[in-house]
mmCIF file of all heavy atoms in Angstrom:
data_model
loop_
_atom_site.group_PDB
_atom_site.id
_atom_site.type_symbol
_atom_site.label_atom_id
_atom_site.label_comp_id
_atom_site.label_asym_id
_atom_site.label_seq_id
_atom_site.Cartn_x
_atom_site.Cartn_y
_atom_site.Cartn_z
ATOM 1 N N SER A 11 -34.653 -5.496 25.639
ATOM 2 C CA SER A 11 -35.562 -4.956 26.654
ATOM 3 C C SER A 11 -36.649 -4.093 26.023
ATOM 4 O O SER A 11 -37.820 -4.151 26.417
ATOM 5 C CB SER A 11 -34.777 -4.152 27.698
ATOM 6 O OG SER A 11 -34.142 -3.036 27.107
ATOM 7 N N HIS A 12 -36.265 -3.277 25.049
ATOM 8 C CA HIS A 12 -37.237 -2.419 24.361
ATOM 9 C C HIS A 12 -38.349 -3.265 23.762
ATOM 10 O O HIS A 12 -39.543 -2.942 23.890
ATOM 11 C CB HIS A 12 -36.510 -1.625 23.274
ATOM 12 C CG HIS A 12 -37.358 -0.630 22.552
ATOM 13 N ND1 HIS A 12 -37.060 0.715 22.514
ATOM 14 C CD2 HIS A 12 -38.488 -0.770 21.825
ATOM 15 C CE1 HIS A 12 -37.973 1.357 21.808
ATOM 16 N NE2 HIS A 12 -38.848 0.479 21.372
ATOM 17 N N SER A 13 -37.973 -4.365 23.113
ATOM 18 C CA SER A 13 -38.938 -5.208 22.417
ATOM 19 C C SER A 13 -39.836 -5.957 23.390
ATOM 20 O O SER A 13 -41.045 -6.095 23.150
ATOM 21 C CB SER A 13 -38.200 -6.192 21.507
ATOM 22 O OG SER A 13 -37.395 -5.501 20.568
ATOM 23 N N ILE A 14 -39.254 -6.468 24.479
ATOM 24 C CA ILE A 14 -40.078 -7.153 25.478
ATOM 25 C C ILE A 14 -41.072 -6.178 26.092
ATOM 26 O O ILE A 14 -42.266 -6.482 26.238
ATOM 27 C CB ILE A 14 -39.191 -7.805 26.557
ATOM 28 C CG1 ILE A 14 -38.429 -8.999 25.967
ATOM 29 C CG2 ILE A 14 -40.046 -8.267 27.745
ATOM 30 C CD1 ILE A 14 -37.456 -9.651 26.938
ATOM 31 N N ALA A 15 -40.605 -5.002 26.453
ATOM 32 C CA ALA A 15 -41.501 -4.006 27.028
ATOM 33 C C ALA A 15 -42.629 -3.659 26.057
ATOM 34 O O ALA A 15 -43.811 -3.616 26.440
ATOM 35 C CB ALA A 15 -40.710 -2.759 27.408
ATOM 36 N N ALA A 16 -42.284 -3.428 24.793
ATOM 37 C CA ALA A 16 -43.289 -3.061 23.795
ATOM 38 C C ALA A 16 -44.328 -4.169 23.618
ATOM 39 O O ALA A 16 -45.525 -3.896 23.486
ATOM 40 C CB ALA A 16 -42.620 -2.757 22.466
ATOM 41 N N SER A 17 -43.871 -5.424 23.629
ATOM 42 C CA SER A 17 -44.797 -6.540 23.427
ATOM 43 C C SER A 17 -45.771 -6.677 24.586
ATOM 44 O O SER A 17 -46.834 -7.280 24.441
ATOM 45 C CB SER A 17 -44.018 -7.845 23.231
ATOM 46 O OG SER A 17 -43.415 -8.272 24.453
ATOM 47 N N ARG A 18 -45.414 -6.102 25.734
ATOM 48 C CA ARG A 18 -46.286 -6.166 26.919
ATOM 49 C C ARG A 18 -46.969 -4.825 27.210
ATOM 50 O O ARG A 18 -47.590 -4.654 28.254
ATOM 51 C CB ARG A 18 -45.473 -6.620 28.130
ATOM 52 C CG ARG A 18 -45.093 -8.097 28.050
ATOM 53 C CD ARG A 18 -44.196 -8.538 29.198
ATOM 54 N NE ARG A 18 -44.034 -9.978 29.187
ATOM 55 C CZ ARG A 18 -44.528 -10.805 30.115
ATOM 56 N NH1 ARG A 18 -45.238 -10.311 31.115
ATOM 57 N NH2 ARG A 18 -44.330 -12.103 30.038
ATOM 58 N N GLY A 19 -46.832 -3.877 26.294
ATOM 59 C CA GLY A 19 -47.566 -2.626 26.411
ATOM 60 C C GLY A 19 -46.894 -1.534 27.210
ATOM 61 O O GLY A 19 -47.547 -0.568 27.620
ATOM 62 N N TYR A 20 -45.580 -1.640 27.399
ATOM 63 C CA TYR A 20 -44.845 -0.636 28.172
ATOM 64 C C TYR A 20 -43.919 0.166 27.271
ATOM 65 O O TYR A 20 -43.376 -0.351 26.294
ATOM 66 C CB TYR A 20 -43.992 -1.296 29.260
ATOM 67 C CG TYR A 20 -44.764 -2.050 30.304
ATOM 68 C CD1 TYR A 20 -44.905 -3.438 30.211
ATOM 69 C CD2 TYR A 20 -45.331 -1.402 31.397
ATOM 70 C CE1 TYR A 20 -45.608 -4.149 31.178
ATOM 71 C CE2 TYR A 20 -46.030 -2.117 32.373
ATOM 72 C CZ TYR A 20 -46.166 -3.482 32.251
ATOM 73 O OH TYR A 20 -46.847 -4.190 33.210
ATOM 74 N N GLU A 21 -43.703 1.420 27.635
ATOM 75 C CA GLU A 21 -42.665 2.218 27.001
ATOM 76 C C GLU A 21 -41.302 1.731 27.487
ATOM 77 O O GLU A 21 -41.164 1.216 28.603
ATOM 78 C CB GLU A 21 -42.833 3.698 27.351
ATOM 79 C CG GLU A 21 -44.071 4.344 26.755
ATOM 80 C CD GLU A 21 -44.010 4.444 25.249
ATOM 81 O OE1 GLU A 21 -42.912 4.705 24.708
ATOM 82 O OE2 GLU A 21 -45.065 4.265 24.605
ATOM 83 N N ASP A 22 -40.287 1.893 26.644
ATOM 84 C CA ASP A 22 -38.924 1.549 27.030
ATOM 85 C C ASP A 22 -38.456 2.471 28.162
ATOM 86 O O ASP A 22 -39.025 3.540 28.378
ATOM 87 C CB ASP A 22 -37.996 1.694 25.820
ATOM 88 C CG ASP A 22 -36.623 1.104 26.048
ATOM 89 O OD1 ASP A 22 -36.493 0.152 26.834
ATOM 90 O OD2 ASP A 22 -35.665 1.616 25.428
ATOM 91 N N GLY A 23 -37.438 2.054 28.887
ATOM 92 C CA GLY A 23 -36.868 2.904 29.923
ATOM 93 C C GLY A 23 -37.227 2.476 31.330
ATOM 94 O O GLY A 23 -37.537 3.303 32.191
ATOM 95 N N GLU A 24 -37.222 1.159 31.574
ATOM 96 C CA GLU A 24 -37.477 0.592 32.906
ATOM 97 C C GLU A 24 -38.900 0.850 33.395
ATOM 98 O O GLU A 24 -39.155 0.937 34.595
ATOM 99 C CB GLU A 24 -36.439 1.073 33.927
ATOM 100 C CG GLU A 24 -35.023 0.682 33.549
ATOM 101 C CD GLU A 24 -34.011 0.865 34.668
ATOM 102 O OE1 GLU A 24 -34.380 1.333 35.751
ATOM 103 O OE2 GLU A 24 -32.839 0.514 34.434
ATOM 104 N N ASN A 25 -39.849 0.975 32.460
ATOM 105 C CA ASN A 25 -41.260 1.106 32.832
ATOM 106 C C ASN A 25 -41.908 -0.252 33.090
ATOM 107 O O ASN A 25 -42.889 -0.340 33.823
ATOM 108 C CB ASN A 25 -42.025 1.854 31.744
ATOM 109 C CG ASN A 25 -41.667 3.324 31.706
ATOM 110 O OD1 ASN A 25 -41.936 4.064 32.650
ATOM 111 N ND2 ASN A 25 -41.030 3.758 30.622
ATOM 112 N N ILE A 26 -41.377 -1.299 32.484
ATOM 113 C CA ILE A 26 -41.891 -2.639 32.735
ATOM 114 C C ILE A 26 -41.436 -3.090 34.127
ATOM 115 O O ILE A 26 -40.280 -2.894 34.498
ATOM 116 C CB ILE A 26 -41.397 -3.628 31.649
ATOM 117 C CG1 ILE A 26 -42.012 -5.015 31.848
ATOM 118 C CG2 ILE A 26 -39.873 -3.703 31.606
ATOM 119 C CD1 ILE A 26 -41.716 -5.972 30.693
ATOM 120 N N PRO A 27 -42.312 -3.691 34.927
ATOM 121 C CA PRO A 27 -41.871 -4.214 36.224
ATOM 122 C C PRO A 27 -40.793 -5.274 36.039
ATOM 123 O O PRO A 27 -40.858 -6.093 35.111
ATOM 124 C CB PRO A 27 -43.155 -4.820 36.816
ATOM 125 C CG PRO A 27 -44.267 -4.069 36.144
ATOM 126 C CD PRO A 27 -43.777 -3.806 34.750
ATOM 127 N N VAL A 28 -39.817 -5.263 36.908
ATOM 128 C CA VAL A 28 -38.674 -6.161 36.746
ATOM 129 C C VAL A 28 -39.108 -7.620 36.718
ATOM 130 O O VAL A 28 -38.546 -8.429 35.971
ATOM 131 C CB VAL A 28 -37.618 -5.904 37.847
ATOM 132 C CG1 VAL A 28 -38.176 -6.202 39.236
ATOM 133 C CG2 VAL A 28 -36.363 -6.735 37.587
ATOM 134 N N ASP A 29 -40.108 -7.985 37.512
ATOM 135 C CA ASP A 29 -40.520 -9.387 37.543
ATOM 136 C C ASP A 29 -41.158 -9.813 36.224
ATOM 137 O O ASP A 29 -41.034 -10.982 35.829
ATOM 138 C CB ASP A 29 -41.486 -9.637 38.706
ATOM 139 C CG ASP A 29 -40.783 -9.597 40.063
ATOM 140 O OD1 ASP A 29 -39.536 -9.723 40.085
ATOM 141 O OD2 ASP A 29 -41.470 -9.436 41.086
ATOM 142 N N GLU A 30 -41.812 -8.899 35.515
ATOM 143 C CA GLU A 30 -42.332 -9.224 34.185
ATOM 144 C C GLU A 30 -41.189 -9.448 33.207
ATOM 145 O O GLU A 30 -41.230 -10.351 32.369
ATOM 146 C CB GLU A 30 -43.257 -8.121 33.677
ATOM 147 C CG GLU A 30 -44.651 -8.136 34.263
ATOM 148 C CD GLU A 30 -45.619 -7.303 33.456
ATOM 149 O OE1 GLU A 30 -45.666 -7.457 32.214
ATOM 150 O OE2 GLU A 30 -46.338 -6.495 34.063
ATOM 151 N N MET A 31 -40.175 -8.601 33.295
ATOM 152 C CA MET A 31 -39.019 -8.761 32.410
ATOM 153 C C MET A 31 -38.324 -10.100 32.678
ATOM 154 O O MET A 31 -37.987 -10.847 31.744
ATOM 155 C CB MET A 31 -38.046 -7.605 32.619
ATOM 156 C CG MET A 31 -36.816 -7.664 31.723
ATOM 157 S SD MET A 31 -37.195 -7.518 29.961
ATOM 158 C CE MET A 31 -37.534 -5.752 29.853
ATOM 159 N N ILE A 32 -38.117 -10.425 33.936
ATOM 160 C CA ILE A 32 -37.443 -11.680 34.278
ATOM 161 C C ILE A 32 -38.285 -12.878 33.858
ATOM 162 O O ILE A 32 -37.751 -13.892 33.387
ATOM 163 C CB ILE A 32 -37.139 -11.726 35.787
ATOM 164 C CG1 ILE A 32 -36.141 -10.618 36.179
ATOM 165 C CG2 ILE A 32 -36.585 -13.095 36.189
ATOM 166 C CD1 ILE A 32 -34.782 -10.731 35.534
ATOM 167 N N GLU A 33 -39.600 -12.780 34.009
ATOM 168 C CA GLU A 33 -40.475 -13.893 33.612
ATOM 169 C C GLU A 33 -40.380 -14.161 32.116
ATOM 170 O O GLU A 33 -40.335 -15.324 31.685
ATOM 171 C CB GLU A 33 -41.917 -13.604 34.013
ATOM 172 C CG GLU A 33 -42.950 -14.586 33.468
ATOM 173 C CD GLU A 33 -42.739 -16.039 33.899
ATOM 174 O OE1 GLU A 33 -41.976 -16.290 34.861
ATOM 175 O OE2 GLU A 33 -43.340 -16.927 33.255
ATOM 176 N N GLU A 34 -40.327 -13.105 31.301
ATOM 177 C CA GLU A 34 -40.187 -13.327 29.864
ATOM 178 C C GLU A 34 -38.837 -13.955 29.552
ATOM 179 O O GLU A 34 -38.728 -14.839 28.686
ATOM 180 C CB GLU A 34 -40.361 -12.023 29.097
ATOM 181 C CG GLU A 34 -40.638 -12.211 27.629
ATOM 182 C CD GLU A 34 -41.926 -12.981 27.362
ATOM 183 O OE1 GLU A 34 -43.015 -12.494 27.732
ATOM 184 O OE2 GLU A 34 -41.827 -14.090 26.787
ATOM 185 N N CYS A 35 -37.799 -13.532 30.257
ATOM 186 C CA CYS A 35 -36.484 -14.145 30.074
ATOM 187 C C CYS A 35 -36.527 -15.625 30.442
ATOM 188 O O CYS A 35 -35.921 -16.463 29.764
ATOM 189 C CB CYS A 35 -35.442 -13.423 30.926
ATOM 190 S SG CYS A 35 -35.084 -11.736 30.393
ATOM 191 N N ARG A 36 -37.235 -15.952 31.515
ATOM 192 C CA ARG A 36 -37.356 -17.355 31.935
ATOM 193 C C ARG A 36 -37.989 -18.196 30.825
ATOM 194 O O ARG A 36 -37.521 -19.301 30.517
ATOM 195 C CB ARG A 36 -38.200 -17.462 33.210
ATOM 196 C CG ARG A 36 -38.312 -18.898 33.753
ATOM 197 C CD ARG A 36 -39.429 -19.039 34.754
ATOM 198 N NE ARG A 36 -40.750 -18.844 34.145
ATOM 199 C CZ ARG A 36 -41.365 -19.758 33.404
ATOM 200 N NH1 ARG A 36 -40.796 -20.937 33.154
ATOM 201 N NH2 ARG A 36 -42.559 -19.504 32.892
ATOM 202 N N ARG A 37 -39.049 -17.681 30.230
ATOM 203 C CA ARG A 37 -39.730 -18.411 29.163
ATOM 204 C C ARG A 37 -38.805 -18.630 27.964
ATOM 205 O O ARG A 37 -38.793 -19.702 27.355
ATOM 206 C CB ARG A 37 -40.985 -17.651 28.721
ATOM 207 C CG ARG A 37 -42.101 -17.614 29.759
ATOM 208 C CD ARG A 37 -43.225 -16.682 29.321
ATOM 209 N NE ARG A 37 -44.306 -16.650 30.272
ATOM 210 C CZ ARG A 37 -45.367 -17.459 30.247
ATOM 211 N NH1 ARG A 37 -45.465 -18.357 29.297
ATOM 212 N NH2 ARG A 37 -46.315 -17.352 31.159
ATOM 213 N N ILE A 38 -38.037 -17.611 27.637
ATOM 214 C CA ILE A 38 -37.110 -17.721 26.511
ATOM 215 C C ILE A 38 -36.017 -18.740 26.808
ATOM 216 O O ILE A 38 -35.691 -19.600 25.978
ATOM 217 C CB ILE A 38 -36.523 -16.339 26.176
ATOM 218 C CG1 ILE A 38 -37.622 -15.447 25.577
ATOM 219 C CG2 ILE A 38 -35.335 -16.455 25.217
ATOM 220 C CD1 ILE A 38 -37.252 -13.982 25.480
ATOM 221 N N VAL A 39 -35.441 -18.680 27.997
ATOM 222 C CA VAL A 39 -34.406 -19.644 28.386
ATOM 223 C C VAL A 39 -34.937 -21.068 28.299
ATOM 224 O O VAL A 39 -34.260 -21.982 27.807
ATOM 225 C CB VAL A 39 -33.894 -19.350 29.814
ATOM 226 C CG1 VAL A 39 -33.040 -20.497 30.331
ATOM 227 C CG2 VAL A 39 -33.098 -18.046 29.834
ATOM 228 N N ALA A 40 -36.168 -21.275 28.777
ATOM 229 C CA ALA A 40 -36.753 -22.617 28.799
ATOM 230 C C ALA A 40 -37.059 -23.149 27.407
ATOM 231 O O ALA A 40 -37.204 -24.362 27.219
ATOM 232 C CB ALA A 40 -38.028 -22.613 29.641
ATOM 233 N N ALA A 41 -37.130 -22.241 26.418
ATOM 234 C CA ALA A 41 -37.519 -22.636 25.068
ATOM 235 C C ALA A 41 -36.337 -23.014 24.184
ATOM 236 O O ALA A 41 -36.528 -23.385 23.031
ATOM 237 C CB ALA A 41 -38.299 -21.507 24.400
ATOM 238 N N THR A 42 -35.111 -22.927 24.710
ATOM 239 C CA THR A 42 -33.930 -23.155 23.874
ATOM 240 C C THR A 42 -32.836 -23.869 24.655
ATOM 241 O O THR A 42 -32.811 -23.823 25.884
ATOM 242 C CB THR A 42 -33.381 -21.807 23.342
ATOM 243 O OG1 THR A 42 -32.246 -22.041 22.507
ATOM 244 C CG2 THR A 42 -32.975 -20.887 24.488
ATOM 245 N N SER A 43 -31.948 -24.492 23.931
ATOM 246 C CA SER A 43 -30.753 -25.082 24.551
ATOM 247 C C SER A 43 -29.548 -24.155 24.404
ATOM 248 O O SER A 43 -28.463 -24.465 24.907
ATOM 249 C CB SER A 43 -30.439 -26.440 23.906
ATOM 250 O OG SER A 43 -30.183 -26.283 22.514
ATOM 251 N N LEU A 44 -29.736 -23.013 23.738
ATOM 252 C CA LEU A 44 -28.642 -22.074 23.526
ATOM 253 C C LEU A 44 -28.470 -21.176 24.753
ATOM 254 O O LEU A 44 -29.419 -20.929 25.493
ATOM 255 C CB LEU A 44 -28.927 -21.193 22.306
ATOM 256 C CG LEU A 44 -29.040 -21.901 20.959
ATOM 257 C CD1 LEU A 44 -29.428 -20.903 19.878
ATOM 258 C CD2 LEU A 44 -27.744 -22.606 20.604
ATOM 259 N N PRO A 45 -27.263 -20.650 24.973
ATOM 260 C CA PRO A 45 -27.087 -19.677 26.048
ATOM 261 C C PRO A 45 -27.849 -18.395 25.742
ATOM 262 O O PRO A 45 -27.922 -17.969 24.591
ATOM 263 C CB PRO A 45 -25.571 -19.441 26.075
ATOM 264 C CG PRO A 45 -25.079 -19.851 24.730
ATOM 265 C CD PRO A 45 -25.992 -20.927 24.264
ATOM 266 N N VAL A 46 -28.413 -17.787 26.787
ATOM 267 C CA VAL A 46 -29.225 -16.587 26.626
ATOM 268 C C VAL A 46 -28.643 -15.447 27.453
ATOM 269 O O VAL A 46 -28.379 -15.593 28.648
ATOM 270 C CB VAL A 46 -30.686 -16.828 27.058
ATOM 271 C CG1 VAL A 46 -31.490 -15.533 26.975
ATOM 272 C CG2 VAL A 46 -31.330 -17.913 26.196
ATOM 273 N N SER A 47 -28.456 -14.308 26.787
ATOM 274 C CA SER A 47 -28.068 -13.069 27.450
ATOM 275 C C SER A 47 -29.293 -12.163 27.471
ATOM 276 O O SER A 47 -30.040 -12.100 26.488
ATOM 277 C CB SER A 47 -26.923 -12.390 26.691
ATOM 278 O OG SER A 47 -26.571 -11.162 27.300
ATOM 279 N N ALA A 48 -29.511 -11.467 28.580
ATOM 280 C CA ALA A 48 -30.703 -10.630 28.731
ATOM 281 C C ALA A 48 -30.325 -9.159 28.783
ATOM 282 O O ALA A 48 -29.357 -8.782 29.442
ATOM 283 C CB ALA A 48 -31.457 -11.011 30.006
ATOM 284 N N ASP A 49 -31.098 -8.351 28.093
ATOM 285 C CA ASP A 49 -30.960 -6.897 28.190
ATOM 286 C C ASP A 49 -31.791 -6.451 29.395
ATOM 287 O O ASP A 49 -33.021 -6.544 29.375
ATOM 288 C CB ASP A 49 -31.466 -6.248 26.906
ATOM 289 C CG ASP A 49 -31.360 -4.735 26.922
ATOM 290 O OD1 ASP A 49 -30.972 -4.175 27.969
ATOM 291 O OD2 ASP A 49 -31.667 -4.121 25.888
ATOM 292 N N LEU A 50 -31.126 -5.986 30.429
ATOM 293 C CA LEU A 50 -31.805 -5.634 31.678
ATOM 294 C C LEU A 50 -31.682 -4.147 31.984
ATOM 295 O O LEU A 50 -31.646 -3.744 33.156
ATOM 296 C CB LEU A 50 -31.261 -6.499 32.815
ATOM 297 C CG LEU A 50 -31.545 -7.998 32.621
ATOM 298 C CD1 LEU A 50 -30.838 -8.831 33.685
ATOM 299 C CD2 LEU A 50 -33.042 -8.289 32.621
ATOM 300 N N GLU A 51 -31.611 -3.331 30.921
ATOM 301 C CA GLU A 51 -31.597 -1.872 31.037
ATOM 302 C C GLU A 51 -30.555 -1.424 32.067
ATOM 303 O O GLU A 51 -29.412 -1.845 32.020
ATOM 304 C CB GLU A 51 -33.006 -1.360 31.333
ATOM 305 C CG GLU A 51 -34.011 -1.801 30.273
ATOM 306 C CD GLU A 51 -35.320 -1.097 30.342
ATOM 307 O OE1 GLU A 51 -35.360 0.121 30.053
ATOM 308 O OE2 GLU A 51 -36.332 -1.756 30.664
ATOM 309 N N GLY A 52 -30.953 -0.591 33.038
ATOM 310 C CA GLY A 52 -30.003 -0.125 34.046
ATOM 311 C C GLY A 52 -30.040 -0.921 35.330
ATOM 312 O O GLY A 52 -29.404 -0.542 36.318
ATOM 313 N N GLY A 53 -30.822 -2.021 35.337
ATOM 314 C CA GLY A 53 -30.888 -2.861 36.525
ATOM 315 C C GLY A 53 -32.115 -2.649 37.379
ATOM 316 O O GLY A 53 -32.246 -3.241 38.447
#
């Protein structure tokens, strides 16, 4: 989560909007056949 937030210009600590975080997770899932676990901070 820290890295995704930083790559999009946000400080860590749930400052990134949840839909932006989920969208990046979607892109990552779509790019691989491996199982993906997401760091979703405190929810």
Side-chain angles (χ1 to χ4, degrees):
S11 63
H12 184 122
S13 302
I14 290 176
S17 71
R18 288 176 171 248
Y20 297 98
E21 292 293 323
D22 191 29
E24 300 193 358
N25 289 295
I26 184 172
V28 63
D29 288 342
E30 282 197 49
M31 181 64 75
I32 296 297
E33 171 60 16
E34 197 61 63
C35 292
R36 183 196 66 77
R37 291 172 179 270
I38 291 168
V39 168
T42 181
S43 61
L44 297 176
V46 176
S47 178
D49 180 355
L50 296 173
E51 303 193 68

